Amino acid sequence: MVSRLRKRGASVTVVMTEAATKLVAPMSFRTISDSPVHTQMFEEPRRWNVEHIALAEWADAMVVAPATGNILAKAANGIADDYLSTLLLAFDGTKIVAPAMNTRMWENPATRRNCHTLLEDGFAIIEPDVGRLASGAEGAGRFPDPSVVVEEISSHMHRDRSLEGKTVLVTAGPTREHFDPVRFVSNPSTGLMGYSMAMAARERGARVHLISGPTSLAEPRGVHMVRVTSAEEMKDACEGLWDRVDILLMTAAVADARPLRYSENKGKKNRDDLLGPVEATPDILANLGPRKGERFIVGFAAETPGDDALENARGKMQSKNADMMVLNEVGGEHSAFGADDNRVLLLSGDNCEELPREHKRILARGIMDRVVKALPGAKK
Ligand code: C5P
């Protein structure tokens, strides 16, 4: 992170807690940052006041990465009992935390509460990923790829609050259409694109409702989360919020078909007609589109390569009354499903722009930038 930030032209000074110095030698950061490293141990107590105030005035942004549950708790409560926490209290620029910890600590009500306080106090949170943790276990709390963290730091530093006062509805993930208690029709969507869109909207100051099908992702902090299973439930949740919505980001990969029959008992697997007849699920976007009013609508189209992808996506944009369509490739060599990165074509009116392959969290910010610019009344 330090060298990536420096490559972008930033001057970086590293502050290490005592615990951090046990994991990494301060000299390593001294070399990478080309500037003195501040540690609790080596500072002369008499000079603290002057030093931390000077450092607090020097920096434009302060990033705690990785942020432990402990520093989140201290920052949320204004506790200043070491160099880092004192500096945080003395600093009034852009404050960013990138939490990384064990899943149980991340999901703990105290940590949730602290994150909400920090968001209210104007801190930005870089959400942890779900994945393999230091303990070897899998779960939410993993430090994201440094390229993602640096990109998010940079976007927080631009302090774009262009969606303040706006309500954004994001749908994400697949839906499941059950035909018995354990079996369903679905697709391999992970929800990462939708969750990333929700984070990108929150970052710009929007009130965000995230309606999610089943995923294994962690709930982004500071967004209102509604969990659903089927297309019908997703439709009801969207309808329920529709009056309040300014911008709809319809990222969900809604299952296209649902079984007509549902059996309370698990069906026997050697039956030929286990699934039985199917019908189309309600097209949520096509239902909301005609009631668009002043809202801005973004649809997502997943097309297999070789088909007339562009033509199909344009057709969907028109028929579903969307202002913008994000076209993903699925099923081919570079399938968007299940991957952390993606490349998309962004369609609006007659324009078509390619956003090159990036991590979905970075890509989502690129898409949000275009949405913000396309909003009525936006500065062109
Ligand atoms: O028609 P297709 O599924 O390709 O359209 C994709 C867009 O329509 C996505 O934005 C998706 O969320 C939305 N959609 C929907 N309800 C469905 C199917 C798709 O809202 N049943």
Side-chain angles (χ1 to χ4, degrees), residues 278-299:
V278 296
E279 64 174 349
T281 51
D283 192 320
I284 305 170
L285 187 52
N287 276 309
L288 293 171
R291 286 178 281 142
K292 179 167 128 66
E294 301 294 303
R295 297 171 188 85
F296 192 88
I297 298 183
V298 184

Side-chain angles (χ1 to χ4, degrees), residues 171 231 250-256 281-286 298-303 316 320 325:
T171 63
M250 195 69 204
T251 323
V254 184
D256 290 309
T281 51
D283 192 320
I284 305 170
L285 187 52
V298 184
F300 286 70
E303 302 286 339
K316 285 176 190 175
K320 303 192 189 212
M325 205 74 184

Side-chain angles (χ1 to χ4, degrees), residues 61-345:
M62 199 172 153
V63 185
V64 187
T68 59
N70 186 46
I71 191 71
L72 296 180
K74 288 207 259 181
N77 290 284
I79 294 172
D81 63 355
D82 64 1
Y83 196 96
L84 175 63
S85 50
T86 307
L87 194 57
L88 267 176
L89 196 61
F91 184 69
D92 65 358
T94 304
K95 289 187 266 201
I96 305 168
V97 289
M101 66 196 77
N102 158 291
T103 309
R104 282 195 294 276
M105 292 183 182
W106 176 241
E107 302 292 356
N108 186 294
T111 306
R112 286 173 183 271
R113 209 162 49 233
N114 292 332
C115 285
H116 281 116
T117 305
L118 290 172
L119 285 170
E120 270 171 25
D121 289 350
F123 276 72
I125 297 181
I126 296 179
E127 299 283 334
D129 273 346
V130 170
R132 206 177 159 78
L133 305 172
S135 62
E138 292 270 333
R142 192 169 75 155
F143 194 70
D145 190 87
S147 64
V148 170
V149 178
V150 167
E151 189 62 37
E152 294 191 15
I153 291 171
S154 149
S155 102
H156 286 302
M157 285 186 72
H158 291 121
R159 285 179 207 245
D160 171 0
R161 304 291 287 175
S162 44
L163 294 181
E164 207 126 61
K166 300 266 188 236
T167 298
V168 176
L169 175 59
V170 186
T171 63
T175 64
R176 285 181 184 170
E177 314 300 326
H178 275 271
F179 53 94
D180 73 26
V182 294
R183 302 192 183 98
F184 49 80
V185 175
S186 191
N187 59 63
S189 162
T190 60
L192 182 59
M193 195 66 219
Y195 282 52
S196 301
M197 293 304 300
M199 292 182 220
R202 179 199 69 193
E203 207 174 281
R204 286 167 173 75
R207 196 175 306 109
V208 180
H209 300 275
L210 174 58
I211 302 177
S212 171
T215 70
S216 56
L217 300 175
E219 269 179 35
R221 297 287 142 94
V223 313
H224 169 231
M225 183 90 187
V226 183
R227 290 200 183 269
V228 297
T229 303
S230 65
E232 194 67 37
E233 287 169 13
M234 186 172 276
K235 174 173 164 277
D236 289 346
C238 289
E239 296 277 356
L241 289 163
W242 191 236
D243 283 348
R244 298 183 228 165
V245 171
D246 298 304
I247 300 170
L248 170 66
L249 308 172
M250 195 69 204
T251 323
V254 184
D256 290 309
R258 65 182 175 197
L260 273 172
R261 263 194 338 235
Y262 178 78
S263 153
E264 293 293 346
N265 304 315
K266 187 180 166 204
K268 291 280 167 287
K269 68 173 164 209
N270 48 6
R271 275 179 34 197
D272 290 346
D273 62 343
L274 189 61
L275 173 60
V278 296
E279 64 174 349
T281 51
D283 192 320
I284 305 170
L285 187 52
N287 276 309
L288 293 171
R291 286 178 281 142
K292 179 167 128 66
E294 301 294 303
R295 297 171 188 85
F296 192 88
I297 298 183
V298 184
F300 286 70
E303 302 286 339
T304 42
D307 292 348
D308 236 338
L310 204 60
E311 205 71 347
N312 289 344
R314 273 199 206 290
K316 285 176 190 175
M317 180 157 74
Q318 224 161 34
S319 68
K320 303 192 189 212
N321 209 13
D323 298 279
M324 200 179 261
M325 205 74 184
V326 182
L327 171 58
N328 300 276
E329 197 171 276
V330 290
E333 200 186 327
H334 304 295
S335 184
F337 275 147
D340 280 354
D341 56 6
N342 193 15
R343 118 181 216 276
V344 297
L345 293 177

Side-chain angles (χ1 to χ4, degrees), residues 14-30:
V14 178
V15 174
M16 297 178 83
T17 58
E18 193 174 346
T21 60
K22 301 214 166 93
L23 296 170
V24 188
M27 189 49 86
S28 311
F29 278 122
R30 201 215 131 107

